[in-house]
Amino acid sequence: MFGLDLTVLGFIVLASLSAGAVAYAFLFRSLENEKKAERRLQTVKYAETDRSVVKAARDRVAEAAKRRKSVQDSLKDLEQKQKVKDQNVKKPPLRIQLRQAGMQVSLERFYIYSAVCGVGLTLLLFILGAPLIVLPGVLLAGSLGMPRWFVSFKRARRVKAFLNEFPNALDIIVRAVKSGLPLNDGIRLIASEAPEPVKTEFRRIVEAQQVGLSIPDAALRMGETMPCAEAGFFGIVIQIQSQAGGNLSEALGNLSRVLRDRKKMKAKVQALSMEAKASAVIIGALPFIVAFLVYLSNPNYIMPLFTTSTGHLILGISGIWMSIGIFVMRKMMNFEV
């Protein structure tokens, strides 16, 4: 009986194994297909994730390239505008020179003043007994030379005063922007509180805003009335920041630091060139000093230079050679920073 039970039990186990093997044989293909489908699904998900990452990276690269191209286009546009402005800075018309010098004089009135200056100087020398052959040259120099020299002198002095105060004005704008004020308020603060001529230049920006001009365009126009590279730098920084974005306070702070470094470099170059300038002044004044001392000691020895035609020729040639030497020394001593 016990042997029969073992036989039945063994038969049941074998039957179960056979049934399981048959079921596994039938279900194996479907299970394998499900695993393959799951693997394919995971592959598709990973591929989509990789595509998303690649697309995001590609979009970032495209955005950076687009921004870089925008900055390059802005720089090219600003460079073209700056070339036009540089022409006005190097050789501006007389009307622009009067504005840059801060002189509230019309062009017609300036010509009247020039004519009066020339005629007055000529009459003064005529009364003092100057030779008649010299008077036309004096009239020409008094009408064209002296008034324009005065305008150039006023223009250079105004630029120098502007450069001395401009970095301080930029620092005030930086502090205003960092404290949360808009750029417009910082510019208005400079236009009302800064010393001249910085006050006038920033007031022109405020007035340009009131007639509808944007701050970047108004800042770019500063170079028209202030003929220096530093004013152009300020307009370029504002223009690029408005188009490409960025930290305005940091950009203006860097500009202020650059302007102070330029000022230090100019002072250093001027100090290093003072020896050469002193030598040039001594060399240029030496012929006149020697001629004056010779005249005091022996007038008859040097007077033929002023009373004979040969002496006049020698004086003319000597003056030309001295002018060439002074011009060469001036070019050797002047450095653009």
Side-chain angles (χ1 to χ4, degrees):
M1 186 68 180
F2 181 73
L4 182 62
D5 291 337
L6 289 177
T7 303
V8 174
L9 183 61
F11 178 77
I12 293 172
V13 171
L14 292 175
S16 300
L17 291 175
S18 300
V22 172
Y24 179 77
F26 283 107
L27 296 177
F28 176 75
R29 185 174 296 275
S30 62
L31 292 175
E32 187 67 22
N33 292 334
E34 288 180 2
K35 290 181 180 180
K36 289 182 179 179
E38 185 177 356
R39 284 196 297 268
R40 285 196 297 269
L41 183 60
Q42 293 294 331
T43 304
V44 171
K45 289 181 179 180
Y46 290 149
E48 289 179 355
T49 304
D50 293 339
R51 280 198 297 269
S52 300
V53 172
V54 172
K55 183 179 180 182
R58 191 178 302 164
D59 292 340
R60 286 195 298 269
V61 172
E63 183 67 23
K66 183 178 180 181
R67 185 175 179 180
R68 191 182 303 111
K69 187 176 183 301
S70 175
V71 173
Q72 290 175 354
D73 293 340
S74 301
L75 288 175
K76 288 181 181 179
D77 188 23
L78 293 174
E79 185 179 0
Q80 294 297 328
K81 293 180 180 179
Q82 193 65 30
K83 286 182 180 179
V84 177
K85 291 181 180 179
D86 288 341
Q87 293 178 356
N88 290 332
V89 170
K90 293 179 181 178
K91 296 181 180 180
L94 181 59
R95 177 179 56 82
I96 297 179
Q97 290 186 31
L98 292 175
R99 290 185 62 192
Q100 293 174 348
M103 301 174 62
Q104 304 296 327
V105 180
S106 64
L107 200 58
E108 294 79 8
R109 189 174 295 273
F110 177 79
Y111 285 137
I112 294 174
Y113 290 160
S114 300
V116 171
C117 178
V119 173
L121 186 61
T122 304
L123 289 177
L124 178 62
L125 291 181
F126 177 74
I127 294 173
L128 293 177
L132 295 179
I133 194 172
V134 179
L135 295 182
V138 173
L139 178 63
L140 186 63
S143 301
L144 299 179
M146 289 186 61
R148 292 176 182 269
W149 174 85
F150 179 73
V151 172
S152 299
F153 172 75
K154 291 273 291 182
R155 182 168 171 249
R157 190 172 68 174
R158 187 168 182 267
V159 170
K160 184 177 180 181
F162 176 83
L163 294 179
N164 288 334
E165 190 60 31
F166 189 45
N168 298 330
L170 291 180
D171 290 339
I172 293 175
I173 295 177
V174 169
R175 288 193 291 269
V177 172
K178 286 184 177 180
S179 63
L181 294 176
L183 176 62
N184 189 21
D185 290 347
I187 292 177
R188 289 179 182 274
L189 180 63
I190 300 300
S192 60
E193 301 294 337
E196 293 290 349
V198 176
K199 180 178 181 179
T200 301
E201 295 301 323
F202 278 85
R203 185 183 298 145
R204 286 196 175 103
I205 296 178
V206 175
E207 292 173 354
Q209 287 182 264
Q210 294 175 352
V211 297
L213 204 64
S214 64
I215 294 180
D217 293 336
L220 281 175
R221 294 177 60 182
M222 185 184 290
E224 298 177 2
T225 54
M226 184 52 62
C228 60
E230 287 77 359
F233 293 162
F234 175 72
I236 290 173
V237 168
I238 298 297
Q239 184 78 8
I240 292 178
Q241 194 276 335
S242 65
Q243 293 184 1
N247 192 339
L248 178 60
S249 61
E250 183 180 356
L252 292 179
N254 293 334
L255 177 60
S256 176
R257 184 167 57 255
V258 168
L259 297 186
R260 294 183 189 278
D261 291 341
R262 281 171 60 88
K263 184 178 178 181
K264 291 179 182 179
M265 182 61 68
K266 287 181 180 179
K268 185 176 181 179
V269 169
Q270 186 176 5
L272 293 175
S273 62
M274 282 304 297
E275 182 179 356
K277 290 181 180 179
S279 301
V281 171
I282 294 172
I283 293 172
L286 192 60
F288 301 99
I289 296 174
V290 172
F292 180 70
L293 293 177
V294 171
Y295 176 77
L296 292 179
S297 61
N298 190 0
N300 295 328
Y301 180 77
I302 199 172
M303 284 306 296
L305 287 175
F306 304 98
T307 57
T308 62
S309 58
T310 305
H312 294 165
L313 179 62
I314 293 174
L315 287 177
I317 295 174
S318 302
I320 293 173
W321 279 110
M322 277 197 64
S323 300
I324 294 174
I326 292 173
F327 176 77
V328 171
M329 287 188 293
R330 184 174 182 274
K331 286 293 184 182
M332 292 173 64
M333 292 182 299
N334 289 337
F335 301 97
E336 293 293 335
V337 180

